[in-house]
Structures are given as C-alpha cells and as structure tokens.
Amino acid sequence: QERTYIMVKPDGVERGLVGEVIKRFENRGYKLVALQQLRPSRELLEQHYGDLKTKGFFPALIAYMLSGPVVGMVWEGKGVVVTGRKMLGETNPLASAPGTIRGDYCIDVGKNICHGSDSVESAKKEIALWFPAGVNEYTRSIEKLIYE
Ligand code: GTP
Ligand code: MG
C-alpha cells in the first residue's frame, strides 16, 4: 500500500490542531502506521527541505520549523500521497479551498500548519528520514468496509 509522510508543524502543535489533522485522515479511511512528537534538529530539517536550500525563505523556514516540537506521522492507503496533499490544501493558505486543513485553519504561507509528501518517491525518502526504525505493520478488520 502507498504511504505518505504528514507532519504537523510547530504552529499546528502549539495551536492544538494535531487531533484535527489526525481526525481528518482517520475519518477518510486511511491507516495510521507511525506517529511521533519530536523537536527536529537543524540537520534533520535541512535534509528534509534539501530541495529548498537555494530559496530566499529557506532560513526563515528552518527557524519556523525549529520553533517547537512537530508531530510526524505516516498514513497508508490508496492514493494517499495525492489525496493527502489535497486534504492539506495549497502551499499558500489563502489559495486553499475551505474544507482543506490550510483553507480552514491558517492564513500565511510561513505558518501553514502542516506538511505532506509531494510524491511517492519523496514520501519514501521522508519516511526513511523521520522514521529510521520503520513503521508499524498491522491489519484492520474494517478494511473491507473501506475498499471495494
Ligand atoms: P510542505 O508540505 O510543507 O512541503 O509544503 P509544500 O510542498 O506545499 O511547499 P514547498 O515544499 O514548496 O515549501 C515547503 C514549505 O516552505 C511550505 O509549506 C511553507 O511553509 C514554506 N514556504 C514555501 N514557500 C514559501 C514562501 O514563499 N515564503 C515563506 N515564508 N515560506 C514558504
Ligand atoms: Mg513540499
């Protein structure tokens, strides 16, 4: 099954939106296979956001992500990478439709609450980076009520 890395950023954690993010993925039918709260190191964040190193906002992004603990999770299920991004909304919250997480809970791109992997490839890299010990494999008896 496809997996994605979803992370509640420090603003989302401080604002008490961890449960809201989890609830939406649970309600949709996706399966939670890993969850952790941690204060990421600068090195971990620079690896995670390695593709953005040349951007002008990179130092501000790292400072934002260092400002408090994050809650990282791995969700599993059909189409979870693309659908997860749709559930988060656009990078810029003001461009995000109401009904998405960013469209419902935030305003500025530099305080946009959550992260989601942008492809299956980056999801694999991010899951290996944030959960080097691996995720939890288990079966759910409700699977047949979610998938045809
Ligand atoms: P993530 O799911 O967090 O990776 O967001 P994304 O994939 O929608 O956007 P991208 O990977 O391009 O940027 C990563 C993060 O950098 C964004 O979520 C923002 O928090 C931040 N960011 C992106 N563009 C800007 C910008 O123009 N200004 C500021 N201040 N932050 C930005
Ligand atoms: Mg991204």
Side-chain angles (χ1 to χ4, degrees):
Q1 274 283 28
E2 187 172 301
R3 289 173 180 160
T4 194
Y5 179 62
I6 300 292
M7 173 166 58
V8 184
K9 297 176 177 180
D11 53 330
V13 174
E14 281 200 50
R15 291 180 56 194
L17 294 170
V18 175
E20 182 62 38
V21 173
I22 291 174
K23 185 179 74 169
R24 289 171 180 234
F25 282 83
E26 279 186 333
N27 286 353
R28 188 70 188 255
Y30 288 125
K31 180 161 84 166
L32 182 64
V33 295
L35 176 70
Q36 67 179 344
Q37 185 185 57
L38 80 163
R39 279 199 86 121
S41 66
R42 181 178 294 276
E43 292 65 40
L44 180 58
L45 292 168
E46 285 178 354
Q47 276 197 69
H48 175 78
Y49 282 127
D51 295 347
L52 303 176
K53 237 164 209 156
T54 57
K55 304 279 186 188
F57 61 81
F58 186 76
L61 172 61
I62 298 299
Y64 162 42
M65 294 300 295
L66 283 170
S67 68
V70 301
V71 171
M73 49 195 112
V74 179
W75 289 92
E76 188 179 286
K78 193 193 276 184
V80 72
V81 170
V82 167
T83 303
R85 297 268 295 183
K86 286 186 190 156
M87 290 165 69
L88 300 194
E90 301 297 320
T91 307
N92 177 2
L94 289 186
S96 300
T100 64
I101 293 166
R102 289 169 181 158
D104 285 346
Y105 295 108
C106 54
I107 295 170
D108 271 349
V109 69
K111 293 277 185 277
N112 66 356
I113 291 180
C114 48
H115 161 83
S117 307
D118 60 14
S119 67
V120 172
E121 262 326 288
S122 34
K124 282 182 185 156
K125 285 187 205 152
E126 291 171 6
I127 292 165
L129 180 66
W130 290 89
F131 291 96
V135 303
N136 302 297
E137 316 260 0
Y138 63 102
T139 54
R140 299 186 301 179
S141 59
I142 61 154
E143 221 71 44
K144 63 182 184 302
L145 300 176
I146 293 169
Y147 295 105
E148 63 182 12

